[in-house]
Coordinates of all heavy atoms in Angstrom, one line a residue:
V8 N -11.7 -62.8 119.0 CA -10.7 -62.0 119.7 C -10.9 -62.4 121.2 O -12.0 -62.5 121.7 CB -11.0 -60.5 119.5 CG1 -10.1 -59.6 120.5 CG2 -10.8 -60.1 118.1
E10 N -9.4 -61.5 125.3 CA -8.7 -60.6 126.1 C -9.0 -60.9 127.6 O -10.1 -61.4 127.9 CB -9.2 -59.2 125.8 CG -8.4 -58.1 126.5 CD -7.0 -57.9 126.0 OE1 -6.2 -58.9 126.2 OE2 -6.6 -56.9 125.4
S11 N -8.0 -60.8 128.4 CA -8.1 -61.1 129.8 C -8.1 -59.8 130.7 O -7.5 -58.9 130.3 CB -7.0 -62.0 130.3 OG -7.1 -63.3 129.6
Y12 N -8.8 -59.9 131.8 CA -8.9 -58.8 132.7 C -8.8 -59.3 134.1 O -9.5 -60.2 134.5 CB -10.2 -58.0 132.5 CG -10.4 -56.8 133.4 CD1 -9.6 -55.7 133.5 CD2 -11.5 -56.9 134.3 CE1 -9.8 -54.7 134.4 CE2 -11.7 -55.9 135.2 CZ -10.9 -54.8 135.2 OH -11.1 -53.7 136.1
L13 N -7.9 -58.8 135.0 CA -7.8 -59.2 136.4 C -8.2 -58.1 137.3 O -7.9 -56.9 137.1 CB -6.3 -59.5 136.7 CG -5.7 -60.7 136.0 CD1 -4.2 -60.8 136.2 CD2 -6.3 -62.0 136.5
S114 N -18.2 -55.4 132.2 CA -18.2 -54.4 131.1 C -16.8 -54.1 130.6 O -16.5 -54.0 129.4 CB -19.0 -53.2 131.4 OG -18.4 -52.5 132.6
T115 N -15.8 -54.0 131.6 CA -14.4 -53.7 131.2 C -13.9 -54.8 130.4 O -13.1 -54.6 129.4 CB -13.6 -53.5 132.5 OG1 -14.1 -52.3 133.2 CG2 -12.1 -53.2 132.2
S116 N -14.2 -56.1 130.8 CA -13.7 -57.2 130.1 C -14.1 -57.2 128.6 O -13.3 -57.4 127.7 CB -14.2 -58.5 130.7 OG -13.8 -59.6 130.0
V117 N -15.4 -56.9 128.4 CA -15.9 -56.9 127.0 C -15.3 -55.7 126.2 O -14.8 -55.8 125.1 CB -17.4 -56.9 126.9 CG1 -17.9 -56.8 125.5 CG2 -18.0 -58.1 127.6
N118 N -15.3 -54.5 126.9 CA -14.7 -53.3 126.3 C -13.3 -53.4 125.9 O -12.9 -52.9 124.8 CB -15.0 -52.1 127.2 CG -16.4 -51.6 127.1 OD1 -17.0 -51.6 126.1 ND2 -16.9 -51.1 128.2
Q119 N -12.5 -54.1 126.7 CA -11.1 -54.3 126.3 C -10.9 -55.2 125.1 O -10.1 -55.0 124.3 CB -10.3 -54.9 127.5 CG -10.0 -53.9 128.6 CD -9.2 -54.5 129.7 OE1 -8.9 -55.7 129.8 NE2 -8.7 -53.6 130.6
A120 N -11.8 -56.2 125.0 CA -11.8 -57.1 123.8 C -12.2 -56.3 122.6 O -11.6 -56.5 121.5 CB -12.7 -58.3 124.0
I121 N -13.2 -55.4 122.7 CA -13.6 -54.6 121.6 C -12.5 -53.6 121.2 O -12.2 -53.5 120.0 CB -14.9 -53.8 122.0 CG1 -16.1 -54.7 122.1 CG2 -15.2 -52.7 120.9 CD1 -17.3 -54.1 122.7
I122 N -11.8 -53.0 122.1 CA -10.7 -52.1 121.8 C -9.6 -52.9 121.1 O -9.0 -52.4 120.1 CB -10.2 -51.4 123.1 CG1 -11.2 -50.4 123.6 CG2 -8.8 -50.8 122.9 CD1 -11.0 -49.9 125.0
K123 N -9.3 -54.1 121.6 CA -8.3 -54.9 120.9 C -8.7 -55.2 119.5 O -7.9 -55.1 118.5 CB -8.1 -56.2 121.7 CG -7.0 -57.2 121.1 CD -6.9 -58.4 121.9 CE -5.8 -59.3 121.3 NZ -5.7 -60.6 122.1
A124 N -10.0 -55.5 119.2 CA -10.5 -55.8 117.9 C -10.3 -54.5 117.0 O -10.0 -54.6 115.8 CB -11.9 -56.3 117.9

Side-chain angles (χ1 to χ4, degrees):
V8 173
E10 189 66 295
S11 296
Y12 175 65
L13 292 169
S114 60
T115 300
S116 174
V117 178
N118 282 323
Q119 285 186 347
I121 291 168
I122 290 166
K123 182 177 181 182

